[in-house]
Amino acid sequence: MGERPGNRFADKEELAAMAYRVYAMDFSFYNSMGIYSFEARCEMLKEIGYDAAHLSIWHGERWRDAAKLGSVKQRYGLDVAGVYVVLDLSLGESHPRNQGILNLLETLEGCSTVELAIQSAGSHLRPSDPAGDDAVVKWLEQALQICERRNIDILLYTHLSFWVERHEDAVRLCRRLNHPRLGIVFCGFHWYAVDGTNLTGTLEAVAPYLKQVNLSGSRRNPHGFGDVATIEPLDEGELDNFALLGQLKQIGFHGMIGFQGWSEGGDAYLKLSRSLQAFRDMERRLEAHPHWAELKLLP
């Protein structure tokens, strides 16, 4: 059915000298006072040195912004890493929120990646419950027919407390559908917040479907997101993103890497600058001293 999503990989010698292309999810531009304009977000990202922008549409609150994506490359010199949407089948397949995602797939320009968080596979289903697989597969089959025609990838986005909560859930769906337009985003924060264990095994399982990664600084804190953990710039927190990046290098991943930024608040420009600087320093250290990241990981 065409090339596998895992084709964004390189051999170790090629990867050692390769700087990752980076993007920032637009979550970074939200704070308690409001949200920066689409234009300001793009201008800031370009000035800081990012390669790509990102758009969150959520449950459909911001469909109109998607129409601006077609001009991002020409106006700002940025690619568009992805559009984030949320599917909630407990509302019914034909609900405007869910139908809107299909409409987006039919009309999206300037972006070939839709990140799909699946909040619910149906009423009364707990996170990761495989009883929801059939309903989700049915919906994905419909969506993937559109993706085939329009050369768009759907990347399953794991999310704390959602039905697709764990990367194992995303792998299960990808294996069942076995479709070249269906892949996975590895979400560093959500992996850490769910349990933060078995990183090597998780990445090895995800690898055949892995197309993008997003990272966050984080520490376990009952006042954090979901009352579990914080989301912070990459130079803050307890989560060791240097070791995580080393693991991504080990499996040969060379797709785009983003920074999540939800709930960070404050001066977005400053925090995004810090995250990019911290990330480039991690790359420098890994290239010069790859053995530094050979951390004996906890099971």
Side-chain angles (χ1 to χ4, degrees):
M1 298 181 69
E3 62 182 17
R4 293 297 317 161
N7 66 358
R8 300 184 189 184
F9 289 77
D11 61 40
K12 292 182 180 179
E13 291 183 2
E14 179 185 2
L15 193 58
M18 183 184 300
Y20 284 101
R21 300 181 70 241
V22 293
Y23 68 97
M25 300 186 74
D26 67 356
F27 298 159
S28 299
F29 294 101
Y30 289 73
N31 62 42
S32 59
M33 298 167 62
I35 179 173
Y36 287 88
S37 72
F38 182 89
E39 292 73 20
R41 299 198 301 266
C42 292
E43 290 169 8
M44 287 188 201
L45 292 175
K46 182 62 177 178
E47 182 170 297
I48 295 168
Y50 284 83
D51 298 296
H54 175 276
L55 176 66
S56 302
I57 293 182
W58 306 98
H59 297 93
E61 292 92 337
R62 298 167 61 201
W63 293 122
R64 292 180 181 179
D65 282 351
K68 301 177 182 180
L69 297 179
S71 64
V72 167
K73 184 71 171 180
Q74 181 178 3
R75 291 188 63 185
Y76 307 103
L78 295 168
D79 292 323
V80 180
V83 173
Y84 173 85
V85 294
V86 178
L87 177 70
D88 186 352
L89 290 179
S90 70
L91 301 173
E93 189 174 326
S94 61
H95 190 279
R97 289 184 181 180
N98 299 328
Q99 188 62 43
I101 300 173
L102 301 179
N103 295 339
L104 175 72
L105 294 173
E106 290 280 13
T107 58
L108 186 62
E109 299 290 345
C111 176
S112 60
T113 298
V114 171
E115 301 172 352
L116 181 70
I118 304 179
Q119 184 172 3
S120 173
S123 300
H124 311 301
L125 289 176
R126 296 180 60 81
S128 304
D129 187 344
D133 286 11
D134 288 347
V136 170
V137 165
K138 178 184 175 184
W139 188 92
L140 284 170
E141 286 174 338
Q142 183 180 2
L144 289 166
Q145 288 178 4
I146 303 172
C147 292
E148 288 176 1
R149 288 191 284 103
R150 306 211 64 240
N151 295 322
I152 293 172
D153 290 332
I154 293 178
L155 306 186
L156 298 176
Y157 188 106
T158 59
H159 192 294
L160 178 69
S161 80
F162 279 20
W163 181 75
V164 173
E165 183 179 56
R166 309 174 68 92
H167 290 88
E168 295 91 330
D169 304 327
V171 169
R172 187 175 73 246
L173 293 170
C174 284
R175 285 175 175 166
R176 176 165 167 181
L177 282 156
N178 191 32
H179 196 288
R181 288 291 173 187
L182 182 65
I184 295 174
V185 184
F186 178 81
C187 302
F189 168 77
H190 291 289
W191 163 77
Y192 176 77
V194 170
D195 61 22
T197 64
N198 191 28
L199 177 60
T200 300
T202 299
L203 288 177
E204 288 176 349
V206 165
Y209 313 102
L210 185 59
K211 287 196 173 186
Q212 283 188 174
V213 170
N214 66 58
L215 302 177
S216 305
S218 185
R219 70 190 82 218
R220 299 194 183 282
N221 187 312
H223 301 293
F225 181 83
D227 302 324
V228 175
T230 60
I231 299 172
E232 306 181 40
L234 289 189
D235 59 356
E236 296 285 348
E238 185 275 336
L239 172 55
D240 188 348
N241 281 295
F242 177 75
L244 201 165
L245 186 59
Q247 290 291 301
L248 290 169
K249 293 263 189 180
Q250 282 294 314
I251 65 169
F253 176 74
H254 71 103
M256 200 176 292
I257 293 181
F259 309 135
Q260 209 236 63
W262 174 251
S263 78
E264 286 183 10
D267 185 335
Y269 185 104
L270 177 61
K271 291 186 177 182
L272 286 170
S273 298
R274 285 169 46 195
S275 284
L276 183 57
Q277 182 178 354
F279 182 76
R280 292 305 187 204
D281 186 67
M282 290 179 204
E283 287 186 304
R284 177 194 61 77
R285 284 181 276 141
L286 276 172
E287 184 173 347
H289 310 285
H291 64 285
W292 286 4
E294 293 173 3
L295 190 66
K296 184 176 181 182
L297 297 172
L298 297 174

